[in-house]
Amino acid sequence: MTTPYVIDDRDKSLFQVHREVFTSGEVFEKERELIFADAWLYVGHESELPGKNDFRTRDVGGRSVIFNRDRHGDIRVLLNTCLHRGASVCRHPRGNQKIFTCFYHGWAYRNSGELVNVPAGDDYRTAPAETYGGLHSPRIESYRGFWFLNFSDDAPDLRTWLGTSSYLLDLAVDQSEDGIEILEGTHSYTLNANWKLLIENSVDGYHAKSVHHTYFEMMMELGQTPPMLGDGTVNGVPPAGIGTEFGNGHATLIYPGNGLPLANDNVARSLAELREKAIANHGDSYASAVFDLARNSIFFPNFVLIDLNFGMILRTIMPLGPDRTQVTSWQIAPRGLDQESLQYRIDNALTFWGPAGLATPDDVEALEQAQRGFSTRREVPLSDISKGMGKQQPAANDELQMRAWWRQWNYVITGERLPAEVAEFIPFEAREQQEAGA
């Protein structure tokens, strides 16, 4: 292919992506080799492992892993493959176990990874433990309870990789003095579309009013102002909020929150109490950023945090093939919520993001329609992601946040580094301090 994967024309304020990247098996293999073998990938949250020897198994970066606490309480990530012949050493999605034993030939490993038993081990002239050591563990690091792994020894540390985008995680965690927790239950599904389409969609404010019009109409009929509608409109499409980038492909759209739709007084009071505690601990400006704004954020390559007052979700997006994607989603909540407030959040999450909700089925249909449309890629080879390009401050319903992600994708895949489009984001409370000083 002679046309670049990504066309970034600043003179024309034109940004295009070649549709071959959504259909090509060659590009898919490059992504597995260059992106998922060398990036910080989200594994899980510490609240999922409350006790010693607790474990969860899941697929991360195309590998089966065990996310666990060992017998000392330390968090580990172990590759879920026996050193003998490759079978899984743990076949359960969750549990509490000190020893993982491969059912195929019985090799056994401590939950810290060491090989501790080989049936008929005397038949080996060199002890397998001396030859193989134990289960392989990739690099793991955490930020405020979020655990990530990296299969490369050469990648920068997690804090450097996150850079200023860690602010987005702070805003979620600081909704309670005690942080956040993962709620029970996992929403897992597949779609017949390329994984990058859902990355775009997760921070796409432009599609909300057309694709999710049923939700918007329902909220308006109930006397509520849906997120991103704001106070005014321009040609029927409200420019509420901003889109911004944080470097390394991390980006977000930030828009006015709409409080707690359909919440009763008890739920509203509970949130107000959290807000007052945040003001006492962090100041009014930071508390306003935490509670008065909503955020859809992507952390390159495939970790998504959607942070709303009435519900927060984490999402990982894994490619299974050029046109097949695995999505795993968890709901999170501030620790210490009363049961009524917790149930309110769960109901909202199911209503909007759930399997039969007002958002997820619509999004899946839109992305699968796009994937079908790529069958015409020879005749219509380019997708446009130019909306808002050239603005000093793009709005939340512009496409800066997708362009920021695509520039990092392009750099990893081709080595071509394209410059950032806008100045690095400054937290709102820091802006106020700068303005006060000026």
Side-chain angles (χ1 to χ4, degrees):
M1 190 183 75
T2 56
T3 304
Y5 290 141
V6 172
I7 297 171
D8 186 358
D9 190 330
R10 302 301 172 90
D11 293 333
K12 297 180 179 179
S13 292
L14 183 66
F15 194 95
Q16 297 168 306
V17 174
H18 202 289
R19 292 177 176 178
E20 191 74 16
V21 305
F22 299 107
T23 61
S24 166
E26 180 182 349
V27 170
F28 170 71
E29 291 301 328
K30 282 185 178 180
E31 290 173 339
R32 292 186 64 177
E33 177 186 353
L34 299 177
I35 294 178
F36 288 93
D38 195 32
W40 285 103
L41 306 175
Y42 177 72
V43 183
H45 190 264
E46 64 183 12
S47 63
E48 297 180 88
L49 307 172
K52 294 180 181 179
N53 306 313
D54 286 344
F55 72 86
R56 306 268 181 158
T57 56
R58 51 192 45 153
D59 290 337
V60 180
R63 285 88 158 170
S64 176
V65 303
I66 306 169
F67 175 52
N68 73 296
R69 287 189 190 270
D70 64 20
R71 64 189 185 281
H72 303 296
D74 295 328
I75 287 183
R76 306 264 185 173
V77 176
L78 307 171
L79 293 191
N80 190 10
T81 179
C82 184
L83 299 172
H84 179 222
R85 301 280 280 281
S88 299
V89 300
C90 184
R91 296 181 290 158
H92 305 288
R94 58 181 295 182
N96 184 280
Q97 207 161 308
K98 294 180 179 180
I99 299 291
F100 298 117
T101 302
C102 176
F103 88 105
Y104 194 8
H105 296 95
W107 286 31
Y109 306 82
R110 285 198 186 97
N111 59 12
S112 48
E114 299 89 354
L115 177 61
V116 293
N117 185 60
V118 174
D122 292 342
D123 293 338
Y124 292 87
R125 294 188 64 181
T126 301
E130 295 181 19
T131 301
Y132 299 110
L135 297 176
H136 179 76
S137 177
R139 290 175 62 189
I140 58 171
E141 294 183 26
S142 69
Y143 182 79
R144 303 205 66 181
F146 298 92
W147 282 85
F148 296 77
L149 66 76
N150 198 305
F151 295 109
S152 171
D153 293 330
D154 299 324
D157 63 86
L158 175 65
R159 190 64 181 81
T160 299
W161 175 245
L162 287 173
T164 53
S165 74
S166 61
Y167 173 71
L168 302 169
L169 299 176
D170 292 335
L171 293 176
V173 174
D174 289 333
Q175 292 181 30
S176 167
E177 290 180 313
D178 301 318
I180 58 170
E181 61 184 345
I182 304 288
L183 302 184
E184 285 297 326
T186 303
H187 182 196
S188 182
Y189 60 98
T190 58
L191 61 148
N192 296 319
N194 188 272
W195 69 287
K196 298 182 289 296
L197 290 173
L198 185 55
I199 292 290
E200 293 178 351
N201 181 267
S202 296
V203 287
D204 181 359
Y206 191 24
H207 83 287
K209 193 174 182 181
S210 54
V211 173
H212 304 311
H213 61 87
T214 302
Y215 169 73
F216 281 81
E217 290 170 359
M218 180 190 77
M219 295 300 290
M220 296 294 283
E221 288 176 2
L222 293 171
Q224 301 290 318
T225 302
M228 282 191 288
L229 279 191
D231 298 321
T233 63
V234 177
N235 297 324
V237 181
I242 63 171
T244 194
E245 54 185 314
F246 288 83
N248 292 333
H250 315 314
T252 190
L253 60 87
I254 301 174
Y255 47 97
N258 68 325
L260 298 170
L262 308 181
N264 63 32
D265 291 342
N266 292 334
V267 173
R269 188 180 305 111
S270 178
L271 183 67
E273 290 172 356
L274 290 177
R275 196 183 195 285
E276 287 302 313
K277 291 178 181 178
I279 292 173
N281 291 329
H282 305 289
D284 187 67
S285 294
Y286 186 74
S288 294
V290 171
F291 290 103
D292 299 341
L293 299 172
R295 293 163 289 275
N296 288 40
S297 305
I298 48 176
F299 301 84
F300 189 90
N302 69 329
F303 179 48
V304 177
L305 168 60
I306 300 177
D307 183 358
L308 311 177
N309 278 342
F310 61 80
M312 298 187 287
I313 65 166
L314 304 178
R315 175 188 292 165
T316 58
I317 302 168
M318 278 303 307
L320 301 178
D323 58 356
R324 187 76 170 163
T325 299
Q326 175 73 47
V327 186
T328 308
S329 179
W330 303 267
Q331 189 178 5
I332 60 177
R335 288 183 185 271
L337 284 180
D338 60 89
Q339 189 57 44
E340 190 173 11
S341 296
L342 202 57
Q343 190 61 51
Y344 168 80
R345 287 170 175 264
I346 292 170
D347 291 344
N348 271 284
L350 289 173
T351 300
F352 193 67
W353 294 300
L358 293 168
T360 298
D362 290 343
D363 287 334
V364 169
E365 174 65 14
L367 304 186
E368 291 185 344
Q369 288 285 351
Q371 192 71 36
R372 282 192 283 273
F374 295 154
S375 63
T376 65
R377 62 190 177 278
R378 288 189 179 182
E379 294 78 20
V380 188
L382 299 172
S383 287
D384 183 90
I385 313 179
S386 302
K387 189 173 186 299
M389 195 170 181
K391 288 184 179 179
Q392 185 175 358
Q393 180 57 74
N397 62 349
D398 288 327
E399 296 171 336
L400 165 68
Q401 50 276 11
M402 286 90 87
R403 294 192 292 271
W405 186 92
W406 272 109
R407 290 185 182 108
Q408 181 66 24
W409 180 93
N410 184 69
Y411 170 65
V412 174
I413 296 297
T414 71
E416 177 191 22
R417 187 180 290 279
L418 301 167
E421 188 173 329
V422 299
E424 186 169 330
F425 177 77
I426 300 174
F428 294 104
E429 60 274 16
R431 295 184 190 186
E432 291 184 3
Q433 293 171 3
Q434 288 181 357
E435 292 170 359

